[in-house]
Amino acid sequence: MIRIDSVTKRYPDGTVAVDRLSLDIPDRSITVLVGPSGCGKTTTLRMINRMVEPSVGAILIDGVDSRQQSVNTLRRGMGYVIQNAGLFQHRTIVDNIATVPRMLGWSKDKARARARELMERVGLDASFAKRYPYQLSGGQQQRVGVARALAADPPVLLMDEPFSAVDPVVRKGLQDELLRIQAELGKTIVFVTHDIDEAVKLGTMVAVLRTGGRLAQFAPPAELLSDPADAFVEDFLGADRGIRRLSFFSSAGLDLLTAPVVAIDATAEQIAARGTTEAPYALVTGLDGRPLGWSEPDRLTAGQIDVGRLLPCGRPFVAGQDSLRAALDCAVLSPTGWAVAVDDEGRAAGVVSQASIAEAIRGAHAEGREEPRSTGAGVQKVIR
Amino acid sequence: MNRFFDIPSDLQHDWLGLIGLHLREALLPVLAGLLLALPLAQLCVRLRWLYPPVLWVTTVLYAIPSLAFFVVLIDYTGQTELTVMIPLTIYTLVVLVPAIVDGVRSVPQETLAAATAMGFGPVRRYVQVQLPIAVPAIIAGLRVATVSSISLVSVGMLIGNQGALGNLLHDAQIYNRPELAWNSVLTSAALAVLADALLVVVRVLLTPWMPSGRSAGRSRGTGVRPETAVPALEDAAR
């Protein structure tokens, strides 16, 4: 465990970057430091590998003061990922990744073999190995940055706004990839960002810092969203924290109606047999069970359902797997106001109204029934 | 034309001999200048306050005419090649020091931070990261210094037989043979063009990591400051 023990960083000109900060960073999980610029988050990160030395206080790694070992030994045991990747532009991708193993005295062949293995792990094609950084896109360079940090298999990964400089689509891909890699490797990751959405998405624990380098709140993201410690945290979380919090509630408890679901080849008897439902529209599904669109009930005539005249059903949510946020989003975007639930294979599992989602939200709030967010692969399934 | 390569015997060299002498007198100072400029530039990078005064001193030294250097040096080093090469070495600094400083400084902050965070000590970081990335800027500086040095060697004729191809200008006058002046000018120019081309080839070989189509001096961020290159070329005439 990394323990930041009442650490203060004061610069010679008197500015205080970090002010009596104490944090216990749990092992094998992602701890996010988030806050506005000037809150000392990067300084805090750099004090962990001693690129910045604390003025007061100590940083303990597994109970031992980080100043006990030589600074270069300490750093070679901690992967570091920086904004814009900071690749060595004069070295090939494979040699960039092999940097730390080479410094640790590995043979060239072994280090390169390891580098190629890591390229695969971070989703880089092997054909990139002999290329130079300028030949890669920003997102690809950042993947190389992550691979380089993982090269010597350090237990700790320090990430300083690694995904801030790439576009939102690429950023989402890199975030998902990081969660996937973390589920496989279980590193102790300290992640700095100014983006609260990124913090909530990635963090097992989130430390919100305020300007002047003081800790505002240290909590799991769901707790941050439900119980912000003060007005600063609440303001920093933004106006829609109620909606975002729904990410932490599973859609498993929703009452799905199956009566309004009609197969495209349904017979007149089947259409008649479904009786009356509270749903004003019927969901037509294809032969494979996938939703095709909404139809007004009186237009339903056996054998004459015109797919071209159906109302679009939009993006469905995966029942039980997606969060209430995803379910609500589907309902809000649906032209009928009803969300379509599908199973793992994309077959319609039922439909649910906004009103019934709202009821589930009230129920969830009342119970405080949040998904436990430990490490593990289950995490990214709930969050969309 | 038949007398074009007929070099007067007072120069004690044939045409090829003059070329060899000329190259030696021009290129050794560039090499010496590079060896001086590397540590000097590194000091300027480490101690930022040192850079402006160093730049000022190299500029002032550059402003001293070579004749003035000769007057002082001749008491110590006599009418030798060394007397020509010492001022030429000093003149290269005005180009090479800023070229190296700018080149080393152009290494992106993220790259430096990443190197430090991976456990590079200052020496390893300089040799393995900063210097290689500065190579395009350094070679851009070397190109200017080399071309300027090749043209400046001619002033060696002021102290006798040390001007190499430059002495042909003097002989053209005293023997009333204008073709010798043409020989001097054309050969020097050809040497300069060839040396410059050679440095471009060296740069291409050393930097496979550079996007093609970008010229050396303008690689990522700053390269050689153009204002140092321009006076160097203008003053090449003295």
Side-chain angles (χ1 to χ4, degrees):
Chain A
M1 185 175 69
I2 300 173
R3 164 168 286 174
I4 297 174
D5 194 6
S6 49
V7 158
T8 294
K9 178 64 194 181
R10 190 179 293 109
Y11 284 101
D13 65 356
T15 44
V16 176
V18 177
D19 191 9
R20 285 161 294 165
L21 179 70
S22 288
L23 276 183
D24 278 353
I25 293 165
D27 279 343
R28 304 175 72 77
S29 63
I30 302 180
T31 301
V32 180
L33 308 179
V34 66
S37 50
C39 73
K41 51 193 190 296
T42 294
T43 308
T44 305
L45 187 81
R46 290 186 171 191
M47 284 194 286
I48 296 174
N49 71 354
R50 294 179 59 198
M51 286 170 78
V52 175
E53 297 282 0
S55 314
V56 183
I59 291 174
L60 307 173
I61 292 157
D62 295 325
V64 184
D65 193 317
S66 64
R67 284 167 290 201
Q68 298 260 316
Q69 54 182 323
S70 93
V71 67
N72 285 344
T73 314
L74 177 80
R75 287 174 186 164
R76 286 168 201 176
M78 293 181 173
Y80 190 86
V81 188
I82 197 170
Q83 191 177 350
N84 293 322
L87 299 183
F88 297 151
Q89 51 185 294
H90 60 297
R91 291 192 184 168
T92 58
I93 299 310
V94 73
D95 285 342
N96 261 285
I97 299 173
T99 304
V100 177
R102 289 287 289 148
M103 274 199 290
L104 293 172
W106 297 25
S107 74
K108 203 162 200 162
D109 286 346
K110 191 182 165 201
R112 284 190 170 162
R114 170 74 179 154
R116 284 171 197 276
E117 181 191 320
L118 279 162
M119 286 181 66
E120 196 183 323
R121 185 172 291 275
V122 300
L124 279 173
D125 196 83
S127 64
F128 287 120
K130 292 282 178 207
R131 296 199 196 168
Y132 288 96
Y134 81 92
Q135 293 165 305
L136 271 60
S137 71
Q140 289 165 339
Q141 290 196 19
Q142 200 48 270
R143 282 171 199 266
V144 178
V146 173
R148 184 173 66 174
L150 289 169
D153 204 19
V156 176
L157 216 53
L158 307 178
M159 308 184 80
D160 187 2
E161 304 214 18
F163 308 147
S164 306
V166 293
D167 68 67
V169 176
V170 174
R171 188 183 312 146
K172 182 181 178 302
L174 289 168
Q175 289 167 346
D176 292 341
E177 198 89 334
L178 180 68
L179 285 172
R180 184 183 62 72
I181 292 169
Q182 171 64 356
E184 290 170 15
L185 301 181
K187 300 287 180 191
T188 302
I189 298 179
V190 188
F191 191 106
V192 165
T193 181
H194 59 257
D195 176 359
I196 186 68
D197 286 318
E198 188 167 66
V200 167
K201 176 174 179 178
L202 298 177
T204 314
M205 291 290 282
V206 176
V208 183
L209 302 178
R210 67 175 91 233
T211 314
R214 273 171 303 137
L215 183 66
Q217 189 169 8
F218 186 44
E223 189 186 320
L224 208 64
L225 291 165
S226 60
D227 301 302
D230 56 19
F232 168 80
V233 178
E234 191 171 356
D235 191 43
F236 191 70
L237 287 166
D240 55 349
R241 73 179 166 92
I243 301 286
R244 284 208 302 252
R245 193 181 161 215
L246 296 179
S247 299
F248 296 91
F249 298 121
S250 165
S251 61
L254 286 174
D255 275 331
L256 302 178
L257 297 182
T258 50
V261 182
V262 179
I264 193 157
D265 59 346
T267 60
E269 292 78 42
Q270 282 171 324
I271 292 172
R274 59 185 201 102
T276 53
T277 71
E278 51 184 297
Y281 292 88
L283 180 74
V284 178
T285 60
L287 295 173
D288 55 359
R290 291 172 185 275
L292 294 173
W294 297 97
S295 167
E296 284 161 30
D298 49 7
R299 283 183 190 270
L300 281 180
T301 318
Q304 291 181 26
I305 299 173
D306 180 3
V307 177
R309 298 192 61 177
L310 296 175
L311 290 170
C313 63
R315 187 169 58 90
F317 69 97
V318 182
Q321 226 177 66
D322 281 336
S323 65
L324 280 184
R325 183 180 179 176
L328 180 64
D329 191 58
C330 298
V332 169
L333 291 176
S334 165
T336 61
W338 286 62
V340 177
V342 294
D343 63 13
D344 290 343
E345 264 93 63
R347 292 185 298 251
V351 297
V352 60
S353 68
Q354 285 179 5
S356 120
I357 294 171
E359 199 177 317
I361 292 169
R362 280 193 297 276
H365 279 182
E367 284 176 45
R369 192 180 64 204
E370 286 152 12
E371 291 280 313
R373 284 194 81 195
S374 57
T375 55
V379 176
Q380 73 226 73
K381 287 186 180 157
V382 180
I383 323 268
R384 295 216 5 186
Chain B
M1 192 64 206
N2 53 340
R3 303 188 67 202
F4 192 80
F5 295 111
D6 179 15
I7 309 297
S9 60
D10 64 329
L11 298 187
Q12 296 165 344
H13 286 286
D14 60 5
W15 185 64
L16 289 176
L18 283 179
I19 288 176
L21 180 67
H22 199 98
L23 286 178
R24 190 165 76 238
E25 284 186 344
L27 300 184
L28 281 180
V30 176
L31 192 66
L34 182 64
L35 293 178
L36 272 176
L38 278 171
L40 200 57
Q42 186 52 17
L43 266 178
C44 291
V45 171
R46 302 281 293 186
L47 312 170
R48 292 188 83 87
W49 58 267
L50 198 61
Y51 187 39
V54 165
L55 214 52
W56 185 82
V57 170
T58 57
T59 310
V60 167
L61 287 173
Y62 189 70
I64 299 174
S66 35
L67 185 58
F69 274 111
F70 294 159
V71 168
V72 176
L73 287 172
I74 213 149
D75 285 346
Y76 303 95
T77 50
Q79 289 183 310
T80 60
E81 286 176 29
L82 198 59
T83 308
V84 181
M85 291 197 285
I86 288 172
L88 291 188
T89 302
I90 290 168
Y91 291 154
T92 61
L93 296 181
V94 79
V95 183
L96 292 178
V97 170
I100 300 169
V101 170
D102 290 350
V104 169
R105 278 191 187 163
S106 74
V107 178
Q109 281 305 314
E110 290 95 0
T111 306
L112 291 179
T116 307
M118 281 190 285
F120 281 67
V123 177
R124 188 197 285 262
R125 199 175 75 162
Y126 178 68
V127 175
Q128 294 190 5
V129 180
Q130 291 174 298
L131 213 49
I133 293 177
V135 158
I138 294 174
I139 292 193
L142 279 177
R143 286 172 64 186
V144 177
T146 303
V147 169
S148 138
S149 194
I150 284 174
S151 91
L152 281 174
V153 162
S154 306
V155 299
M157 74 179 177
L158 293 174
I159 55 165
N161 239 346
Q162 303 304 340
L165 291 167
N167 282 71
L168 288 175
L169 293 171
H170 186 239
D171 280 13
Q173 219 169 6
I174 58 177
Y175 299 125
N176 194 20
R177 285 178 55 192
E179 74 274 11
L180 292 181
W182 282 110
N183 185 332
S184 169
V185 170
L186 292 175
T187 312
S188 303
L191 288 181
V193 169
L194 285 176
D196 190 57
L198 196 69
L199 282 169
V200 172
V201 170
V202 168
R203 203 270 296 156
V204 169
L205 291 178
L206 281 180
T207 59
W209 48 269
M210 264 185 51
S212 51
R214 263 206 259 164
S215 76
R218 278 178 276 127
S219 73
R220 195 174 274 217
T222 53
V224 176
R225 303 175 316 154
E227 64 266 35
T228 59
V230 171
L233 285 172
E234 282 171 354
D235 280 42
R238 59 170 142 179

